[in-house]
Amino acid sequence: MKVIAVGRNYVDHAKELNNPVPESPVIFMKPDTAILKDNKDFYFPDFSKDIHYEVELVLRICNEGKHVSKKFAHKYYDAIGLGIDFTARDIQSAQKAKGLPWELAKAFDHSAVISPLIPKGEFEDLTNLNFSLTKNGETVQRGNTKDMIFDYDSLISFISQYITLRKGDLIYTGTPAGVGPVSIGDKLEGFLEEKSMFTCQIK
């Protein structure tokens, strides 16, 4: 499986990082070694001094697809989860300043927290899902899928024009405003429609 992640998919988040609002999806990849599941601890890496949390809704791909049309895209994912795209912001800023790729800042080991996945049929309205992240019990991010710049079907259709989607792939759909740093000792908890989906202790 592979992790396909979307950047700048909420207007307020693009603005808070002083980035332009994209006209087409911003895509980057994480390897399978980035996955961190089962509420395992996240160990602060020694190559960064500024790791940020970014809570995101996650789609699980259920069919192989290439050049998927938007009207059929809903058939290519079967479950929804919640995750964190951990970002080494200091490394990302340095890479961007040099016009270099972001992978060192985004694709490092255990940078992709993932919750258990819920069949999408269990949700009443996939286009209106609330999700949030707390740090040490205080809410730091809130989002709703209705505020996505590019919805699920648009993302699946766009990505599949370039990259073949395979069963088990995960799409991290972007983070709302409110991203910020973590420190050793912090506890993160993610919620989807008020349901606790994961916890993550920073060690």
Side-chain angles (χ1 to χ4, degrees):
M1 57 82 68
K2 55 188 176 286
V3 175
I4 303 166
V6 182
R8 307 174 191 170
N9 200 22
Y10 291 80
V11 171
D12 289 345
H13 172 59
K15 289 180 177 177
E16 75 177 343
L17 295 184
N18 296 314
N19 290 319
V21 176
E23 296 181 5
S24 60
V26 176
I27 303 298
F28 59 95
M29 307 282 287
K30 290 177 180 263
D32 58 359
T33 49
I35 291 292
L36 183 65
K37 57 184 180 178
D38 300 328
N39 296 324
K40 290 182 178 176
D41 298 335
F42 173 82
Y43 288 86
F44 205 108
D46 58 9
F47 52 73
S48 174
K49 292 180 172 59
D50 192 22
I51 299 291
H52 281 208
Y53 56 78
E54 299 186 10
V55 71
E56 314 203 358
L57 202 78
V58 181
L59 308 179
R60 181 178 68 192
I61 298 300
C62 60
N63 288 307
E64 183 162 325
K66 187 168 179 62
H67 298 293
V68 176
S69 67
K70 188 175 176 181
K71 68 178 179 178
F72 294 122
H74 65 280
K75 297 182 177 181
Y76 286 83
Y77 68 98
D78 64 352
I80 303 279
L82 198 65
I84 293 176
D85 164 23
F86 278 123
T87 303
R89 194 71 72 201
D90 48 355
I91 293 177
Q92 186 186 40
S93 296
Q95 296 294 94
K96 286 167 68 175
K98 297 174 184 176
L100 297 174
W102 302 350
E103 267 69 16
L104 291 178
K106 288 283 194 178
F108 56 89
D109 289 352
H110 300 155
S111 61
V113 173
I114 185 66
S115 74
L117 297 158
I118 301 172
K120 68 178 185 180
E122 295 187 16
F123 296 98
E124 211 168 283
D125 184 359
L126 293 171
T127 65
N128 186 25
L129 292 178
N130 293 295
F131 60 100
S132 63
L133 184 74
T134 65
K135 183 171 80 167
N136 304 325
E138 179 182 347
T139 300
V140 288
Q141 282 190 279
R142 288 189 183 277
N144 187 291
T145 54
K146 72 179 187 302
D147 297 323
M148 286 181 172
I149 300 170
F150 306 104
D151 61 19
Y152 316 133
D153 293 350
S154 297
L155 292 175
I156 287 171
S157 179
F158 178 85
I159 292 166
S160 71
Q161 308 308 308
Y162 300 86
I163 302 165
T164 298
L165 298 171
R166 290 200 168 133
K167 187 174 181 179
D169 287 351
L170 299 174
I171 298 178
Y172 281 59
T173 60
T175 194
V179 302
V182 294
S183 300
I184 293 171
D186 286 343
K187 181 182 179 181
L188 303 175
E189 187 170 7
F191 296 86
L192 179 55
E193 290 293 347
E194 310 307 319
K195 174 183 172 64
S196 177
M197 296 293 287
F198 65 75
T199 59
C200 183
Q201 190 78 34
I202 311 300
K203 293 287 186 76

